[in-house]
Amino acid sequence: PCVGNMNSLPPITIGIDRPSAAIMLMQIMPATAQEMGVSVQQLYEPAVNIHTAARYLKQLNRTFSDIKDKRERIKFVLAAYNGGALHIKDAMALARKYGGNAHQWADVSGYVLKLSEPEYYRDPVVSNGYMRGSETEAYVRQILDRWFQYQGCARAYSKGSTPKPAKRNMKDGKHQSNVKSAEEFVGS
């Protein structure tokens, strides 16, 4: 149960020649790579692909820095990574317009879903039009579910055994863990 099921992971698209296809492990879109100053060809290098994704996540974290609750912000960052920051901003505007809290994913996610309906994607507060929100809403839910599963596995593993201290990353003569929380990873 604590080992990931590889069949449930999204497929890695290597060598697909469609200009709209997300590339490699971190599923980076060509347009996003260009915005980040990385060529599409460079994305086929695993280290570059991962580094670009990490930089993009950090950028998205800054984009949504007005969401002060770090646990909520992560949901918006994940949604923007999958569906685009401007679409998520549109969903936030709809939540605000209809009396919801634009900084609570529970209020905004419903509008992410509704951005596939003309009544909503044609609303005057929406600037970026249609989005296939069901994919983005499911992506956020699946990533968070997996994160909680991993946390449970880490806790279960450490209960019955004595974890070995990290050999690297010493500070002031003390061992420090190299494992970061999601909040630390995206750089709060």
Side-chain angles (χ1 to χ4, degrees):
C2 288
V3 176
N5 178 356
M6 292 303 288
N7 294 327
S8 70
L9 296 174
I12 298 172
T13 52
I14 299 175
I16 292 181
D17 292 327
R18 292 189 339 248
S20 64
I23 299 171
M24 291 287 286
L25 179 64
M26 300 307 292
Q27 295 289 282
I28 300 173
M29 297 297 286
T32 302
Q34 283 186 314
E35 288 174 27
M36 301 301 294
V38 176
S39 74
V40 171
Q41 285 308 107
Q42 289 174 303
L43 283 181
Y44 288 97
E45 298 173 33
V48 171
N49 190 276
I50 293 167
H51 180 72
T52 302
R55 285 182 31 232
Y56 185 50
L57 285 166
K58 189 171 186 172
Q59 177 182 308
L60 290 171
N61 191 56
R62 284 191 303 266
T63 298
F64 292 96
S65 63
D66 57 326
I67 301 171
K68 299 304 178 197
D69 182 327
K70 293 175 185 177
R71 292 180 188 270
E72 280 301 307
R73 187 183 325 143
I74 287 171
K75 298 168 190 173
F76 288 83
V77 168
L78 290 170
Y81 187 86
N82 180 267
L86 297 176
H87 286 300
I88 302 309
K89 293 282 187 177
D90 283 345
M92 293 170 75
L94 286 167
R96 198 175 296 112
K97 176 180 178 175
Y98 291 104
N101 183 340
H103 291 168
Q104 290 292 316
W105 181 247
D107 288 357
V108 174
S109 63
Y111 292 102
V112 168
L113 293 168
K114 289 179 179 182
L115 280 171
S116 63
E117 301 171 22
E119 172 186 350
Y120 293 95
Y121 69 74
R122 291 184 181 146
D123 190 290
V125 301
V126 173
S127 302
N128 299 284
Y130 174 88
M131 94 173 280
R132 203 170 31 233
S134 59
E135 290 180 10
T136 297
E137 189 277 336
Y139 176 82
V140 172
R141 191 169 12 89
Q142 290 168 359
I143 294 293
L144 291 174
D145 286 350
R146 180 143 317 145
W147 177 255
F148 292 129
Q149 288 173 358
Y150 290 161
Q151 285 182 318
C153 290
R155 282 190 206 103
Y157 177 77
S158 66
K159 281 183 183 176
S161 63
T162 305
K164 295 179 182 173
K167 300 247 183 204
R168 296 184 190 180
N169 197 13
M170 289 188 64
K171 184 175 182 179
D172 300 327
K174 296 179 183 178
H175 294 286
Q176 291 185 324
S177 173
N178 290 330
V179 178
K180 295 183 178 183
S181 70
E183 292 91 350
E184 292 170 313
F185 181 76
V186 296
S188 33

